[in-house]
Amino acid sequence: MSSPTGIGLRQPHYARVLEERPPLGFVEVHSENFFHDGGAALQVLQRARECYPLSLHGVGLALASADGGGDAHVERLAALVDRFEPALVSEHLCWGRIDGRHYNDLLPFPYTSEALALVAVRVSALQDRLKRQVLLENLSAYVQFRDSTMSEADFLAELVCLTGCGLLLDLNNLYVNARNFGGDPLDALDRLPMNAVGEIHLAGHAVTEHGLIDTHGSRVCDDVWALLRDVRARGVIAPALIEWDTDLPDLDVLLAEAAQADLIGGHHAEHPRARAA
């Protein structure tokens, strides 16, 4: 039986994944790495698509950028979606472009009504162009804005209502922000529409003297596994993904992490807050 949990498919693991075809629920790649017209990477992606459902995860649309300018990026993504017909398409809720310059960072922005109106238009246009629902991911951030009039969770909930988009719930990001800024990640989960969650990301972080850094370079920590148990107990059955991008380990480590997520995925106990009510 195939695992419902997927892994991020990275170049060092291409050969072994395609030769051994481990029982994964799906594989995920960064869309921008496959925007070119030909070459070996696209051939690998075609083979992966023949073996597994595919998730295209974007890091460059910068949907909250005030000056627009992402039309060419959207067209390249649309061509990729048309060619590979992925099971899931996702992006980050961030900005990264201004005055014709694009920054390779996922930058936070103030959560205001003005920003919500801008992002809602962009997300609706994106979904219209791709002719499908897009999942938006909550961000790990290291600054907060005093101009924000709502939390990220409330912003995402409103965005779901306005556009019909789904959520890519990154539990490590949620945990990192809660530890760095103070707060309870369960409160954020309470405010997010769980029925809109279409994918869950699980990753590791670095602990520094200045706070937690979202590195995607280590195993998922116990507290994030606990958040996954909580989300599953809330009835969320969306597939999970092990996201590991730096200090990439042997494939067996990723498969072990995926197996642990599968075990938690099979846990459907009544939600503890429901019991308390």
Side-chain angles (χ1 to χ4, degrees):
M1 184 176 71
S2 293
S3 160
T5 300
I7 63 169
L9 182 61
R10 306 296 181 248
Q11 190 278 333
H13 298 147
Y14 283 173
R16 191 174 163 198
V17 168
L18 295 177
E19 289 171 5
E20 299 180 10
R21 300 187 183 186
L24 295 164
F26 66 108
V27 295
E28 184 169 281
V29 298
H30 290 159
S31 309
E32 290 79 5
N33 290 339
F34 301 90
F35 274 2
H36 45 281
D37 292 331
L42 281 175
Q43 294 175 11
V44 167
L45 190 59
Q46 182 63 48
R47 289 180 58 198
R49 176 64 182 85
E50 292 166 0
C51 300
Y52 299 102
L54 178 65
S55 172
L56 293 181
H57 185 46
V59 296
L61 266 176
L63 291 164
S65 299
D67 61 351
D71 292 346
H73 193 113
V74 170
E75 290 307 312
R76 287 193 285 269
L77 176 61
L80 200 65
V81 169
D82 289 343
R83 176 172 177 176
F84 290 99
E85 298 181 330
L88 299 167
V89 177
S90 58
E91 246 306 335
H92 296 82
L93 181 63
C94 68
W95 74 280
R97 187 173 49 249
I98 189 169
D99 290 338
R101 295 184 178 183
H102 186 92
Y103 298 91
N104 293 319
D105 292 296
L106 307 173
L107 299 171
F109 60 94
Y111 298 121
T112 63
S113 297
E114 183 182 23
L116 178 62
L118 172 72
V119 175
V121 169
R122 296 267 174 76
V123 172
S124 294
L126 176 65
Q127 293 185 135
D128 289 345
R129 177 63 186 91
L130 300 183
K131 300 181 177 64
R132 60 184 301 149
Q133 185 188 55
V134 172
L135 309 179
L136 271 294
E137 179 181 343
N138 56 299
L139 202 63
S140 62
Y142 307 98
V143 296
Q144 289 183 311
F145 295 88
R146 59 187 173 193
D147 290 340
S148 291
T149 57
M150 63 186 91
S151 68
E152 182 188 40
D154 290 339
F155 190 98
L156 280 164
E158 288 294 325
L159 190 61
V160 168
C161 289
L162 290 172
T163 69
C165 72
L167 297 180
L168 196 173
L169 177 58
D170 190 311
L171 293 177
N172 184 58
N173 289 353
L174 207 68
Y175 178 74
V176 165
N177 289 355
R179 283 284 305 274
N180 287 343
F181 299 133
D184 186 346
L186 297 182
D187 290 337
L189 292 177
D190 287 343
R191 307 176 82 87
L192 289 168
M194 291 290 109
N195 60 355
V197 176
E199 185 182 344
I200 299 167
H201 271 184
L202 301 163
H205 54 259
V207 180
T208 77
E209 61 179 316
H210 303 295
L212 304 189
I213 306 296
D214 177 34
T215 58
H216 298 182
S218 60
R219 292 179 183 272
V220 179
C221 77
D222 289 345
D223 287 340
V224 172
W225 286 126
L227 287 177
L228 179 61
R229 293 187 187 90
D230 183 278
V231 168
R232 293 304 190 201
R234 294 170 189 254
V236 175
I237 60 173
L241 178 103
I242 302 301
E243 192 178 36
W244 200 317
D245 295 302
T246 61
D247 295 326
L248 198 65
D250 186 85
L251 179 62
D252 290 337
V253 175
L254 299 185
L255 297 179
E257 293 280 275
Q260 185 166 345
D262 286 346
L263 289 175
I264 295 173
H267 178 71
H268 296 297
E270 182 183 6
H271 190 270
R273 293 195 174 193
R275 288 199 300 273

